[in-house]
Amino acid sequence: MVHRILIVTAVAAEADSVSAGLGLGAPELLPLPGGLVLRRHTESPGARVLIDVLVGGVGPAAVAASTGTALAYAALTGTENPYGLVVSAGIAGGFQPLAPLGSVVVSSAVVAADLGAQTPDGYLTVDELGFGRSAHPVPKALTDRIAAALTAAGLPHTVAPVLTVSTVTGTAGRAAELAGRHPGAAAEAMEGFGVAEAAAAYGVPVVEIRAVSNAVGPRDRAAWRIGEALHALRHTSELLSKTVFMELEPS
Ligand SMILES: O=C(O)c1cccc(C(=O)CC[C@H]2O[C@@H](n3cnc4c(=O)[nH]cnc43)[C@H](O)[C@@H]2O)c1
């Protein structure tokens, strides 16, 4: 039985880091509807494990559409098994001091941080408004295994909620507001919730893995350490491809 994992990034530089870390050689390129291209990595011809990497676009809407396309395509074509895990991966802002630059955050939950309504009495989530959901849980057994692999390799990491925002935080006030509303959240990025919504529609578990490139707070693009974060993302992919990704039960 083939065991399939879909890893979705926002931009090509993130996908390149993930692909390089997997250490499975050059991927096969599979065109998908909508102009998307899936990078398919396998151990060898006829392999048991198949890892697809998708550049899904920036922001929750773009990535929900692209992830949904990849999942629909897998469900509708051929006799292959559908995916058993979807991973949202990339760089992120880290809430300080929980997630230092260059460290990795593994999501305990994937949370939409600005999907709701402002009211005179404060912010209400879509759940509170009765429209849907604003968080996806991540199986604890999965985050435990990922954390164990990162711990064994001495890679600094945190398991905590990861926020999805449509606007990158650029002030101390907004950072404090988000931290107050989501105590314990360690990172913010722009795609996790979109990936998670698509995965949930197909009943596939999801986890978000983020390497921290910058602090959440006053905008200072010069202080972003994108190279360090991409290196941590590559290292994480390498570790997981040798451990957790290979050990998951085929669906
Ligand atoms: O300029 C580059 O070389 C470069 C290489 C890789 C990635 C980028 C991006 O700009 C990726 C955008 C992506 O990053 C996430 N992100 C990073 N920091 C934050 C943040 O503080 N708040 C929210 N999102 C953040 C986000 O998911 C974007 O899609 C550039």
Side-chain angles (χ1 to χ4, degrees):
M1 211 177 223
V2 181
H3 156 194
R4 288 158 53 104
I5 296 172
L6 175 63
I7 303 178
V8 186
T9 70
V11 301
E14 294 167 321
D16 291 347
S17 289
V18 170
S19 288
L22 293 175
L24 296 173
E28 184 187 352
L29 299 181
L30 299 174
L32 295 183
L36 299 165
V37 177
L38 207 55
R39 305 176 183 193
R40 174 153 295 172
H41 295 265
T42 51
E43 301 156 288
S44 56
R48 198 186 70 88
V49 178
L50 185 155
I51 302 179
D52 290 344
V53 180
L54 179 68
V55 178
V58 173
V63 87
S66 55
T67 306
T69 298
L71 291 166
Y73 193 79
L76 294 173
T77 54
T79 54
E80 293 179 84
N81 301 310
Y83 294 106
L85 176 66
V86 177
V87 181
S88 171
I91 65 171
F95 287 93
Q96 302 306 311
L98 288 178
L101 272 57
S103 70
V104 169
V105 180
V106 179
S107 65
S108 57
V110 180
V111 180
D114 53 17
L115 186 62
Q118 282 188 313
T119 79
D121 300 322
Y123 176 82
L124 291 178
T125 65
V126 281
D127 317 51
E128 290 163 332
L129 292 165
F131 294 152
R133 65 193 149 191
S134 59
H136 289 274
V138 177
K140 187 171 180 310
L142 177 62
T143 56
D144 284 350
R145 289 167 77 172
I146 294 172
L150 300 183
T151 300
L155 207 163
H157 63 280
T158 311
V159 179
V162 176
L163 308 185
T164 302
V165 293
S166 291
T167 304
V168 175
T169 295
T171 65
R174 176 65 172 163
E177 181 187 340
L178 288 173
R181 201 191 292 158
H182 304 281
E188 72 161 36
M190 303 176 77
E191 292 81 26
F193 190 76
V195 173
E197 280 284 291
Y202 288 82
V204 184
V206 70
V207 65
E208 185 165 2
I209 299 176
R210 291 282 172 179
V212 177
S213 54
N214 58 283
V216 176
R219 182 165 176 78
D220 179 7
R221 196 65 165 72
W224 283 38
R225 295 289 172 263
I226 291 177
E228 271 179 50
L230 291 175
H231 183 266
L233 188 61
R234 176 180 172 151
H235 191 189
T236 302
S237 304
E238 185 183 347
L239 294 170
L240 297 184
S241 73
K242 290 178 180 158
T243 55
V244 180
F245 290 165
M246 294 296 154
E247 293 158 7
L248 289 175
E249 290 304 312
S251 53

